[in-house]
Amino acid sequence: MDLQTLTYLFVGGSFALYLGIAFWARAGSTSEFYVAGGGVHPVTNGMATAADWMSAASFISMAGLISNMGYGGAVFLMGWTGGYVLLAMLLAPYLRKFGKFTVPEFIGDRYYSSTARTVAVVCLLIICVVYIVGQMTGVGITFARFLGVSSETGIYIGMAIVFAYAVFGGMKGITYTQVAQYVVLIVAYTIPALFISLNLTGNFIPQLGMGSDLVGTDVSLLSKLDQVVTDLGFAQYTTQAAGSTLNMAFFTISLMIGTAGLPHVIIRFFTVPKVADARYSAGWTLIFIALLYTVAPSVGSMARLNLHGTFNSNVGIVQKADGGMGVDAAAVKANKDLFAPEASIKYEDRPAWVARWEKTGLLKFEDKNGDGRIQYYNDKTKNEAVKAKADAAGWKGSELTVNPDIIVLANPEIAQLPNWVIALVAAGAMAAALSTAAGLLLAISSAISHDLIKRTFVPDMSEKSELMAGKISMVFAIILAGYLGLNPPGFAAATVALAFGLAASSLFPAIMMGIFTKTVTDKGAIAGMIAGMFVTAFYVFAHHGIFFIKGTEYVGLIGGPNSFFGLTPAAFGTVGAIVNFVVAFLVSKVSGTVPAHVQEMVEAVRIPKGAGAAAAGH
């Protein structure tokens, strides 16, 4: 069966499954709409949370980032998984014991202030809207490549699918849909990795294959990759760092506390029956995430080697008789000259997958020296020996531009795997993007309908009216997300960094102080959230433009790029969090004391006893 037909079958079948589950598990009450009735099993919730968390960024982008960054890409693995340890130990059980629906509700009640709740809602909306745009854009890219429609049409279809199961199903429908989506995305991610690891190393376990020797040689995969990338002027794969040690540390911390402060993830821990289940649920989430995250470094390294092998025949990675990419042991051992004239493949001989990805604009070729061959190397290298070799070979610059986001989606094509594997990856990418989009939309919906409308403006609203307000809020959120996905204001990975940075610098400190101290006042919490968000956004916008609009950058105003101790914008969420904590404690010292009943509530939340069912606040 041809690739297009298989793709329609796999993607269409997965969509039918999601819609069927949403219809079966549709929400009939506010409790079911917001927290799935508070009766989700910890294992089920762990799987749903993993799908909720592993967005298009995890499925599509992370292995591409690791493929590009090498060892430095470990910050994503450590930061994102480490955030769940924080959630399991420091936040989830206490928030579950508090027993309400949302993060702004906790902040509003703990800081005895509707203003604090409103500030938390604003933070939540900014974080979720920024985050969801990436998911919708990912849906558009995946549809455009695999279903042969325009990116715009892909976003419209994605909006319709999410609308169907999120608006009608609420948290109950989303939970069970996300379980199905987790199964789809984890199978889609690991099966290509098994094939590729077996082809390259003879070991079908990717985590072990990454450290194994290439088939028929005594040369390890990573040492060969190091040799290839350094010969071509790139940084050494196994030692490449993401900036300075301080930057890597702050970047990792920002991702960790950003994870622990993401509202669409935290809300999932209100869906389990007991406090102990919140801990178990977080533990299961870590296990389910680890199944993908431990495979990601293997996918990144093997895809990088296959990519170089595709365009340079002297790498020693060749197409085998059965069609898949394999090892030419003699070429690997010989360490042939990668700058030899015949090493670069002819453009007319490029594999079919290259032509398919060229149509998306995410892979581009420009014949700079007019020889009809594809030269792919780092033409910005400072290595004089590499420059000399490139000049001697008549190379006039790297002729291939590869967007890191295509590494996972194109990985089975690069490795020349069967069509059904490629179709499976398309379905997995859809599952990853749609599952996170649904969770984010629910967080937006509950913040508007429950925290703003019911708790602030219409306190006597009936449950039926609140449920309707929640669904209407979600509809408007879907339309906004679709619009931004269709008209992205010139941003991609930077927005994800901003979403984490804002969560790290605004909500996480407020939640932590709300649980573990009785001295932070309402004014302290409000000042802290505003200060943390402001400094983070100010630094990010200085580099990327105000709301990422090109031409509005003001990097000179802060003394140049990364001027604050060499920190990149992606790492600045940690600084914002420190500012939040400091401002909150200082303002609290001069703004009176916390009421006695609030101090008692904080004490009660920290006592390790059971909690009742999640209930709406009044």
Side-chain angles (χ1 to χ4, degrees), residues 7-53:
T7 304
Y8 282 129
L9 284 175
F10 275 70
V11 174
S14 65
F15 282 176
L17 175 64
Y18 306 152
L19 295 175
I21 291 172
F23 180 79
W24 165 73
R26 57 193 182 279
S29 67
T30 52
S31 178
E32 288 183 337
F33 188 81
Y34 293 133
V35 291
V40 179
H41 192 278
V43 177
T44 304
N45 193 54
M47 198 176 289
T49 307
D52 200 358
W53 165 240

Side-chain angles (χ1 to χ4, degrees), residues 45-256:
N45 193 54
M47 198 176 289
T49 307
D52 200 358
W53 165 240
M54 289 191 294
S55 63
S58 283
F59 188 96
I60 297 173
S61 297
M62 186 176 64
L65 288 166
I66 294 172
S67 182
N68 264 18
M69 296 171 66
Y71 167 74
V75 297
F76 295 98
L77 299 173
M78 294 186 292
W80 284 343
T81 52
Y84 269 100
V85 178
L86 286 181
L87 261 179
M89 302 299 294
L90 299 179
L91 300 183
Y94 300 107
L95 288 172
R96 175 61 192 87
K97 185 166 184 186
F98 183 73
K100 297 296 177 72
F101 282 156
T102 66
V103 171
E105 191 167 21
F106 168 78
I107 289 175
D109 286 7
R110 161 58 185 87
Y111 296 112
Y112 50 95
S113 165
S114 60
T115 304
R117 183 170 59 246
T118 303
V119 171
V121 168
V122 171
C123 293
L124 182 149
L125 292 177
I126 293 172
I127 293 163
C128 290
V129 168
V130 164
Y131 207 114
I132 202 172
V133 175
Q135 313 312 313
M136 300 309 291
T137 306
V139 168
I141 289 171
T142 310
F143 266 113
R145 163 61 192 86
F146 290 105
L147 297 188
V149 299
S150 69
S151 179
E152 290 79 7
T153 302
I155 289 174
Y156 289 132
I157 296 171
M159 288 167 66
I161 296 293
V162 174
F163 174 88
Y165 73 76
V167 173
F168 296 111
M171 179 61 91
K172 186 178 179 185
I174 286 170
T175 295
Y176 295 104
T177 304
Q178 285 175 334
V179 170
Q181 287 167 331
Y182 175 79
V183 173
V184 171
L185 74 86
I186 198 67
V187 169
Y189 201 86
T190 53
I191 283 183
L194 300 180
F195 272 104
I196 295 167
S197 182
L198 191 62
N199 283 345
L200 292 180
T201 69
N203 192 325
F204 71 92
I205 302 173
Q207 295 93 327
L208 300 179
M210 185 174 71
S212 301
D213 290 343
L214 293 169
V215 172
T217 75
D218 56 359
V219 180
S220 72
L221 185 149
L222 287 176
S223 64
K224 182 62 182 178
L225 181 55
D226 272 346
Q227 178 251 312
V228 169
V229 295
T230 52
D231 281 0
L232 291 172
F234 297 96
Q236 187 169 326
Y237 191 83
T238 54
T239 60
Q240 186 178 353
S244 66
T245 303
L246 178 67
N247 189 73
M248 280 192 73
F250 271 50
F251 194 0
T252 304
I253 293 169
S254 183
L255 292 175
M256 284 178 66

